[in-house]
Amino acid sequence: MTVDDLRNDLTARLGEQVEQVFSRDGAPVDDITELYQPSPAGFGGQLRLKRSGRRLAWELWLEDGDSWNFHAADLAE
């Protein structure tokens, strides 16, 4: 999976186009490995929505070895 693939997946999950994906500390990412965390196994970071410009924190984690859970929340400004 590439960052572009992930951006498309996040767009589908949120129902609004994701413009850019960032690391947890807000730095732009070039590689999906920058978003990976080993425990709990999954991915996370920040993103910016294209239309509204909102920034969200997001997490995508593997539960029970076969199902992915997703959560996103607005970042405090």
Side-chain angles (χ1 to χ4, degrees):
M1 179 181 277
T2 67
V3 173
D4 287 337
D5 294 334
L6 177 64
R7 188 171 43 243
N8 291 334
D9 181 76
L10 293 172
T11 293
R13 291 174 186 276
L14 291 166
E16 187 175 342
Q17 187 174 3
V18 173
E19 182 175 29
Q20 192 166 6
V21 178
F22 304 92
S23 66
R24 285 176 178 80
D25 63 6
V29 296
D30 296 318
D31 191 90
I32 193 94
T33 59
E34 297 174 66
L35 301 169
Y36 180 73
Q37 66 181 28
S39 181
F43 300 87
Q46 298 179 21
L47 59 83
R48 181 174 54 231
L49 298 174
K50 186 171 187 171
R51 185 180 49 201
S52 66
R54 289 175 32 220
R55 282 188 72 131
L56 306 173
W58 64 273
E59 298 288 333
L60 182 65
W61 67 97
L62 190 60
E63 191 165 300
D64 299 329
D66 62 0
S67 62
W68 288 93
N69 286 325
F70 176 73
H71 176 75
D74 285 301
L75 286 172
E77 295 191 28

